[in-house]
Amino acid sequence: MQKINFNAGPAQLPPEVLHEAAQSVKQYKKTGMSVLELPHRGKEFLEILEESKTLVKKLCGIGHEYEVLWLQGGGRMQFCMIPMNFLLAGKNAGYIDSGHWSHEAAEYAMYYGNAQILASSQDSNYSRLPDWPQIPSDLAYLHVTTNNTICGTQWHSIPKTEVPLIADMSSDIFSAKTDYSRYPVFYAAVQKNLGAAGLALVVIRKDMLGKTPVILPPMLSYSMQAHENSILNTANVFGVYVSLLMLRWIDARGIDAIEKENIRKAALLYETIDNSTSFKAHVTEKAHRSLMNVCFTAVTTEVEQSFLAMCEKNNITGVKGHRSVGGLRVSLYNAVTYGQVEELVDLMKSV
Ligand SMILES: *Cc1c(COP(=O)(O)O)cnc(C)c1O
């Protein structure tokens, strides 16, 4: 029996997507081959790739001024590639440290060059967003993490800035309406809202490609990856295919409807926590709360343990907090239904 999966990533995928992916593992269309056997430079995969790129641009409301890349190495590889491509000698990059991932992104950049943390909420255990700092106008780029997966905060709006904004959208891409054209570069590890682990979606404005240094090994260069249409080496054919199925699923629903549902799911869960005597929200500032990852604690470790055991008994999994912070966390990505949140909330009320 399929469990209700509230894990933060790899996350729940819609049953329709799993079904179609499973069919295609047996045979892709009428090719007589599994999707796992498709040549990465063959007609079928090129069609998968083209449709995925078209759908990403459609869903983001952006045009041919952007390139869409599917790169291996997940989110962290992007923590490396961004400074390698854009943090050149003599330049500074700014990082907004609103959570564990943003912190790690800044640390990775420090291997390559002059990366500065301009604002941090680490001293509050990332239970709130930092105040937006003064942004030096000569930065090579400013890096933000739009949703903080581990501690459950989210930037619901990001102040205007003159410097190029680079965003890690791993845990909230396509979850709500947003102006993607503000970001010359944005990226997402796909295992949260967008598919099977092992890939990152990277969307990059073409003028940024001109800034990448020629001395980089091609695999690590955005301009070379764009030049080679993300198939510089053997592509992750299956990963891109599953992401395409997710993109079709998102497109069929529409971002407006997805956003409404995400707001409804999060409201139900936060309301339950706020009205409960057994649980307490990690993020008290309501305007900072994430719609995607809801972090909370139980009043005692006994209550936490018994609640986790209750969840498992009721076929609900993925409610334990990240290993670095403990407590409880429920991820409400697009594939999670309102009905599943209702089931969880009923259990919480019975604690
Ligand atoms: C999950 C996550 C990552 C890391 O992804 P990996 O693919 O495991 O490297 C990076 N940033 C954010 C915001 C995430 O949620």
Side-chain angles (χ1 to χ4, degrees), residues 8-9 73-79 100-102 104-105 108 143 145-150 168-172 187-192 197-200 293 329 333:
R76 283 178 186 81
M77 187 61 93
Q78 296 313 306
F79 295 174
H100 293 257
W101 291 118
S102 60
E104 201 166 312
Y108 274 45
H143 183 279
T145 307
T146 51
N147 182 69
N148 300 289
T149 325
I150 294 178
D168 177 354
M169 302 187 178
S170 292
S171 49
D172 67 349
Y187 65 99
V190 304
Q191 67 270 26
K192 278 103 192 211
L199 271 185
N293 310 99
R329 172 176 58 176
Y333 302 127

Side-chain angles (χ1 to χ4, degrees), residues 78-88 95 105 108-110 112-113 141:
Q78 296 313 306
F79 295 174
C80 309
M81 286 180 72
I82 287 158
M84 287 174 122
N85 282 267
F86 302 124
L87 182 48
L88 307 183
Y95 280 73
Y108 274 45
M110 288 169 193
Y112 297 100
Y141 62 84

Side-chain angles (χ1 to χ4, degrees), residues 270-281:
Y270 280 119
E271 201 180 276
T272 307
I273 297 166
D274 288 342
N275 291 331
S276 163
T277 48
S278 307
F279 301 105
K280 211 169 127 302

